[in-house]
Amino acid sequence: MRIVAQRVSRASVTIGGKLKSEIGKGMMVLLGIEDADNEEDVEWLCTKLSKMRIFGDENDAMNLDINQIEGSFLVVSQFTLHAMTKKGNRPSFIRAARPEKAIPLYELFLSKLAEISGREVQCGEFGAMMDVELINDGPVTIIMDSKNRE
């Protein structure tokens, strides 16, 4: 499971011209699920995200987590995070999980993130063509892969 987490001052998802979700201060999370992922990957990433201290304190040092700033999450599924680009010029997505595996893990990720963090979790729509807007605060962008925990 691979994520790109961005500290945002605001973010939103629009589908077909209609606003689906939006948050103010918090974290925009792009979530890529691969075939080898399982519930343990979900648990590990949700715990890390919930405790990640990437928000500025009174001295602008990154010492605060999302709870301390009373922020929200916006999670968007993005299979392209598992693109393989070594051969040719067209990315391959064979490592990305098929919907029958990815959708249950995506839904588990959403509920587990809300449970562990105690914060509001907004989301996009799995498999939809989405317009994602965000104001990256900092910019702060963190990439994590549950298969590289060390």
Side-chain angles (χ1 to χ4, degrees):
M1 200 166 275
R2 188 171 291 156
I3 64 162
V4 174
Q6 298 180 344
R7 184 177 78 182
V8 298
S9 52
R10 72 175 190 266
S12 65
V13 173
T14 303
I15 302 171
K18 294 184 180 177
L19 182 66
K20 163 80 166 92
S21 299
E22 68 180 331
I23 63 169
K25 193 170 189 173
M27 239 186 270
M28 170 79 199
V29 179
L30 303 175
L31 172 66
I33 300 169
E34 67 178 317
D35 204 40
D37 291 331
N38 58 41
E39 292 179 16
E40 185 179 307
D41 297 292
V42 170
E43 183 89 25
W44 184 80
L45 279 172
C46 289
T47 300
K48 290 292 278 186
L49 281 172
S50 298
K51 296 177 180 179
M52 188 174 296
R53 299 182 314 157
I54 62 170
F55 297 96
D57 63 14
E58 65 278 356
N59 298 316
D60 284 331
M62 289 195 290
N63 282 322
L64 304 178
D65 65 31
I66 198 156
N67 255 310
Q68 293 169 303
I69 60 118
E70 298 182 356
S72 302
F73 289 100
L74 176 56
V75 179
V76 174
S77 63
Q78 189 163 2
F79 74 94
T80 60
L81 290 179
H82 288 289
M84 294 174 61
T85 58
K86 290 185 180 184
K87 291 184 180 179
N89 295 317
R90 183 176 177 189
S92 169
F93 304 105
I94 59 172
R95 288 184 45 207
R98 305 281 313 147
E100 54 273 9
K101 171 148 191 177
I103 291 172
L105 285 174
Y106 172 70
E107 291 172 351
L108 178 63
F109 187 92
L110 296 172
S111 63
K112 190 59 81 170
L113 186 58
E115 175 189 323
I116 292 172
S117 71
R119 305 307 310 162
E120 176 185 16
V121 177
Q122 296 287 321
C123 62
E125 183 179 312
F126 189 93
M129 194 63 147
M130 297 173 268
D131 292 327
V132 178
E133 293 185 76
L134 63 102
I135 304 295
N136 189 322
D137 178 25
V140 174
T141 302
I142 308 292
I143 301 169
M144 289 192 294
D145 192 314
S146 62
K147 303 303 186 220
N148 296 326
R149 297 182 194 186
E150 298 167 12

